[in-house]
Amino acid sequence: MQAAEVVAPVAVQQPYTVTSPNGDRQDSYYWLRDDSRTSATVLDYLYRENSYFEQYSANYQALTDKLTDEIISRIKQDDSSVPYNKGDYSYYDRFDAGKEYPVYLRKSLKDGTEQVMLDVNELAGDKDFYQIANMSVSPDQNLLAYLEDTSGRRQYTLKVRDLRTGKDLADEITGLSRSVAWAKDSQTLYVIQNDPVTLLSTTVLQHTLGKDVAKARQVYTEQDHSYYMGVGNTEDNNYVVIYLGSTVSTEMRVQDATKPDSEFTVLAPRQRDFQYSASHINNRWVIRTDWQAPNFRLMTVAADKIGYRNNWQPLVKHDDNVFIEDFAVFDNYLAINERSDGVRRLKVMPWATPEQAFYVASDEAAYVMAFATNAEPDTDWLRYSYSSLTTPESTYQYNMKTGDKQLLKQTEVLGGFDQNNYKTERVWATATDGVKVPVTLLYRKDYKRDGTAPLYQYAYGSYGSSSDPWFRSVALSLVDRGFVYAIAHIRGGQEMGRQWYENGKLLHKINTFTDFIAVTDYLVANDYVAKDKVFAMGGSAGGLLMGAIANMAPEKYRGLVAHVPFVDIVTTMLDETIPLTTNEFDEWGNPKQQAYYDYMLSYSPYDQVTKQAYPAMLVTTGLHDSQVQYYEPAKWVAKLRSHKTNNQPLVFKTNMEAGHGGKSGRFSRLAEYAQEYAFILNLLGQTE
């Protein structure tokens, strides 16, 4: 079918007023919201959009198929993770050739016997979506608690498998978040129940195996709906922990894991603009906190002195130029994952001689070091992962006493990949206010910087989530076709420290968008890429970014890809019945307040759609998405269709079986990359 024969669906417009204390707005496509997801009219429209996407993409289906095969061919299909030891077993997972899902296994350290704990392929069966979100082995090593999702809506069901028999127990609890913890008795489990409407985590349940799940004990209920919740165990398994966190405040409540009937004790009471997290080692807590330390510092307190932060003692001081991302505790060492100049690296501090702290070395300018699984603290070996845009993810173990380093595994990339054919570079673009924005580039070594290359530019820029330059084998399908692949480390993340985040949220959010556009301008002006071959992609809050730049600078982009985009920000944030809304006020602002209403409205992609020429666009969503409801991108696309003044393609695809993360199988996810890349390459007239 020729592209000209494909007719886009036109959504009808129906009057609807969105009311608020600060002004009413008309929303002609509000009718596309159906919380039940059963409306025949709405579903028919979504299916017609899917049909339009299928007809449009049929023009380049051969390219999509080729890209799918190419991307999948780089993946070693029969692969396994690096085993780690805990208790009497070595734990690991494995992918079998041709299978979508992993198999989780363990091997006895005594006799080498291998045991399959969960074969996710068997559990998934022929389900359209299936995911194991979390699993935890009981302290006595006989039971496995795991949480499954069969819809993609991130509402989980607890199941417990007896590893001695391979059978699941009768105990089953639904409507949960993804976290779980054990008491030392290996009979008491802790899970978090979600509100069935808002999907907010509200109550910590304590369930004793074999008892009626309907009578699970409520050990904690959170009244403030701006907080997320989690449960877990400390690394030494001596405590059960309830984690409570909003955008600007956190709190931890702890319970002796040997005393499941005891009360939880607050590590330090919550206060606004006060965040902390803690690990337990050798009868003391090590704490990462932003108390009088915007980039975070480390402190410590004896286990019998918890309850007040005034009892905390300094451990690692605050540094204006170094952001402390994470830490890991060992009996003899403290390991710190820190970020400076946009690079994540590892620092090791001996407890006995803290003044002799040192860094784990790297030979590359732009890279990522992060902790791998360090399951037991009584060791001198630190496990960490290392990656860059040219170096596949590698797992090392580093002896903190001797300095010996061993490569345990590097992800094998098939299809003739040779990292010597590629180059990564760090450049700095100047934002509109003069701030320097780091950008990580990937291109082939035979690339010529002559202003003719196409650009694929990615960013996220929200929630303090940093877009680190991990290796991405899928990107090779663009880079090998002459693209420059760019990660824009824009404000809203934490690549440059906490202030980088603060300057990209609330009433500074527009910095995120202008930073992204400034990166595009820099790469074009300095002849890295051609101005008429610029493509950009973002998902979720990064999809909001795509919506904003589509309105603000449409002429600078040949095409945009917006996955599960958060584009109707004002309407969503006004409605506290929408799942997860109240957790977001400190990120975006509360539009019930005039200043935030006006500011959010000024950049809201849905509200700012206007009569103008827009770039070619591919928009995706999941019908069961609980993070960004499907109707946000559906309404946005409908409004764009009625306003855009040019004939550039606008296609919209709804995954009718999945949620925020897309499809669940590994090959299905890779096929979605192929669809995106084929859309982009087709716009350039490339068929290979």
Side-chain angles (χ1 to χ4, degrees):
M1 178 175 292
Q2 297 300 311
E5 296 177 311
V6 181
V7 179
V10 176
V12 298
Q13 299 187 40
Q14 299 179 9
Y16 186 88
T17 302
V18 179
T19 60
S20 83
N22 299 311
D24 295 344
R25 292 151 46 245
Q26 289 299 310
D27 186 351
S28 300
Y29 300 104
Y30 192 90
W31 65 269
L32 280 165
R33 174 178 175 175
D34 171 35
D35 292 345
S36 72
R37 290 159 172 78
T38 60
S39 165
T41 303
V42 171
L43 291 174
D44 175 69
Y45 174 76
L46 297 178
Y47 279 121
R48 285 191 290 121
E49 284 284 5
N50 281 353
S51 178
Y52 175 56
F53 169 78
E54 291 166 4
Q55 290 175 319
Y56 176 82
S57 60
N59 293 293
Y60 52 86
Q61 187 61 50
L63 176 58
T64 304
D65 293 341
K66 180 176 182 177
L67 285 165
T68 301
D69 293 341
E70 179 181 303
I71 291 170
I72 291 175
S73 72
R74 297 194 191 99
I75 307 300
K76 185 179 180 183
Q77 295 198 20
D78 52 342
D79 202 7
S80 59
S81 65
V82 177
Y84 66 89
N85 296 343
K86 188 170 185 179
D88 297 325
Y89 295 89
S90 174
Y91 291 88
Y92 53 103
D93 59 72
R94 181 182 72 218
F95 277 102
D96 294 327
K99 298 294 183 68
E100 290 273 12
Y101 299 97
V103 181
Y104 293 99
L105 309 102
R106 69 179 182 180
K107 185 177 290 187
S108 171
L109 296 175
K110 296 178 180 178
D111 59 18
T113 303
E114 184 180 73
Q115 178 185 15
V116 174
M117 297 190 296
L118 291 179
D119 185 336
V120 184
N121 298 287
E122 291 182 0
L123 293 170
D126 58 359
K127 297 180 180 68
D128 291 317
F129 184 95
Y130 189 85
Q131 181 186 55
I132 297 294
N134 196 2
M135 60 179 65
S136 180
V137 176
S138 61
D140 66 7
Q141 305 174 99
N142 291 328
L143 302 171
L144 176 72
Y146 66 99
L147 291 140
E148 67 174 16
D149 176 13
T150 59
S151 72
R153 197 153 172 78
R154 299 185 179 180
Q155 300 304 294
Y156 302 99
T157 297
L158 170 73
K159 294 189 175 182
V160 181
R161 176 154 297 188
D162 190 327
L163 295 174
R164 295 162 296 190
T165 66
K167 305 293 185 183
D168 286 347
L169 305 181
D171 308 72
E172 192 171 298
I173 307 177
T174 60
L176 306 177
S177 71
R178 61 181 297 154
S179 56
V180 62
W182 287 96
K184 281 283 185 71
D185 61 10
S186 296
Q187 292 296 302
T188 307
L189 277 165
Y190 301 79
V191 292
I192 295 178
Q193 191 172 55
N194 295 334
D195 183 283
V197 176
T198 66
L199 307 186
L200 295 171
S201 46
T202 56
T203 304
V204 179
L205 299 178
Q206 182 191 73
H207 170 64
T208 302
L209 296 177
K211 293 189 176 180
D212 185 355
V213 295
K215 296 180 180 178
R217 177 177 164 230
Q218 297 184 8
V219 295
Y220 180 77
T221 298
E222 178 55 50
Q223 302 298 329
D224 188 338
H225 291 167
S226 68
Y227 279 77
Y228 289 101
M229 299 173 64
V231 291
N233 294 102
T234 51
E235 290 86 343
D236 59 8
N237 289 315
N238 286 330
Y239 287 87
V240 178
V241 182
I242 300 173
Y243 304 94
L244 300 145
S246 71
T247 303
V248 297
S249 305
T250 56
E251 184 177 81
M252 289 175 61
R253 295 169 178 259
V254 301
Q255 179 194 67
D256 186 331
T258 65
K259 301 175 181 177
D261 293 330
S262 64
E263 297 297 317
F264 280 82
T265 302
V266 176
L267 197 64
R270 70 183 67 172
Q271 294 184 35
R272 185 166 179 83
D273 298 317
F274 166 49
Q275 299 184 84
Y276 69 90
S277 59
S279 293
H280 185 265
I281 187 77
N282 297 332
N283 207 36
R284 67 168 171 167
W285 293 89
V286 176
I287 305 154
R288 171 184 175 268
T289 181
D290 67 348
W291 177 31
Q292 299 177 346
N295 274 344
F296 289 80
R297 57 176 168 162
L298 298 182
M299 306 188 79
T300 185
V301 66
D304 60 356
K305 298 291 186 182
I306 65 171
Y308 302 97
R309 71 181 185 183
N310 289 338
N311 292 334
W312 297 358
Q313 299 298 312
L315 188 61
V316 175
K317 66 180 182 179
H318 177 259
D319 188 329
D320 288 334
N321 299 313
V322 176
F323 178 78
I324 296 179
E325 183 93 17
D326 197 4
F327 68 95
V329 291
F330 299 85
D331 286 351
N332 297 315
Y333 298 91
L334 171 67
I336 304 169
N337 194 195
E338 66 178 37
R339 190 185 294 277
S340 57
D341 291 328
V343 174
R344 278 179 72 175
R345 55 185 182 172
L346 291 174
K347 183 178 183 180
V348 175
M349 188 186 85
W351 289 121
T353 55
E355 70 280 359
Q356 297 180 11
F358 55 91
Y359 288 97
V360 179
S362 169
D363 296 326
E364 294 184 288
Y367 61 88
V368 189
M369 286 183 183
F371 295 124
T373 302
N374 292 283
E376 296 182 317
D378 57 341
T379 179
D380 291 334
W381 290 97
L382 166 68
R383 290 237 181 139
Y384 71 93
S385 64
Y386 178 93
S387 180
S388 74
L389 288 181
T390 59
T391 304
E393 187 168 356
S394 308
T395 302
Y396 288 92
Q397 64 177 9
Y398 178 85
N399 192 295
M400 296 178 283
K401 183 176 182 180
T402 67
D404 292 341
K405 183 169 70 171
Q406 299 174 4
L407 175 63
L408 300 178
K409 178 185 177 180
Q410 184 175 87
T411 299
E412 189 173 351
V413 182
L414 306 180
F417 169 74
D418 181 352
Q419 70 181 92
N420 293 316
N421 292 333
Y422 303 90
K423 182 178 179 180
T424 185
E425 183 182 355
R426 170 62 58 83
V427 298
W428 300 81
T430 303
T432 54
D433 58 359
V435 170
K436 297 293 186 181
V437 179
V439 189
T440 307
L441 304 178
L442 173 68
Y443 45 78
R444 287 187 63 89
K445 278 193 175 175
D446 56 6
Y447 149 83
K448 290 184 174 64
R449 185 175 153 187
D450 58 8
T452 64
L455 170 66
Y456 179 94
Q457 182 176 323
Y458 166 77
Y460 184 71
S462 291
Y463 302 103
S465 178
S466 299
S467 299
D468 290 316
W470 294 101
F471 183 80
R472 298 152 163 86
S473 68
V474 295
L476 300 177
S477 288
L478 291 178
V479 175
D480 285 345
R481 289 172 172 83
F483 274 73
V484 172
Y485 185 96
I487 302 174
H489 306 288
I490 54 181
R491 280 175 284 188
Q494 287 184 143
E495 288 92 337
M496 300 293 288
R498 185 67 179 183
Q499 197 59 44
W500 202 247
Y501 169 44
E502 298 292 342
N503 289 340
K505 69 170 186 173
L506 295 174
L507 298 177
H508 303 289
K509 187 64 204 171
I510 291 175
N511 285 337
T512 297
F513 317 136
T514 53
D515 282 2
F516 190 89
I517 296 168
V519 169
T520 300
D521 290 341
Y522 172 88
L523 295 174
V524 169
N526 287 275
D527 290 331
Y528 280 94
V529 299
K531 67 178 182 179
D532 60 344
K533 299 178 184 177
V534 176
F535 299 86
M537 186 277 280
S540 194
L544 181 149
L545 168 64
M546 294 299 101
I549 67 169
N551 290 326
M552 296 167 66
E555 74 285 354
K556 296 183 179 181
Y557 299 92
R558 179 75 171 271
L560 300 176
V561 178
H563 296 300
V564 293
F566 178 37
V567 285
D568 190 17
I569 181 170
V570 179
T571 303
T572 290
M573 296 303 294
L574 282 168
D575 188 348
E576 296 180 22
T577 68
I578 293 176
L580 313 178
T581 290
T582 53
N583 292 110
E584 304 287 312
F585 287 147
D586 287 319
E587 178 71 26
W588 310 102
N590 186 341
K592 294 184 177 67
Q593 300 175 26
Q594 186 74 54
Y596 289 112
Y597 180 88
D598 292 343
Y599 189 79
M600 293 162 69
L601 195 62
S602 74
Y603 68 77
S604 171
Y606 182 60
D607 291 284
Q608 293 304 318
V609 169
T610 188
K611 293 283 186 182
Q612 65 177 343
Y614 279 91
M617 299 175 71
L618 167 62
V619 182
T620 70
T621 191
L623 182 64
H624 300 287
D625 194 336
S626 60
Q627 309 296 113
V628 177
Q629 305 293 311
Y630 77 89
Y631 45 81
E632 288 200 37
K635 294 196 307 176
W636 182 47
V637 168
K639 190 172 182 179
L640 281 167
R641 284 242 172 81
S642 69
H643 283 68
K644 64 195 292 288
T645 59
N646 59 347
N647 294 321
Q648 288 296 315
L650 171 60
V651 289
F652 177 46
K653 181 186 178 186
T654 302
N655 188 318
M656 305 303 283
E657 290 84 33
H660 197 62
K663 294 184 177 180
S664 54
R666 59 172 175 161
F667 299 129
S668 299
R669 287 196 298 269
L670 293 174
E672 291 178 339
Y673 282 107
Q675 288 180 343
E676 173 191 329
Y677 290 178
F679 173 80
I680 291 171
L681 291 168
N682 178 66
L683 292 171
L684 291 176
Q686 295 192 26
T687 58
E688 294 294 329

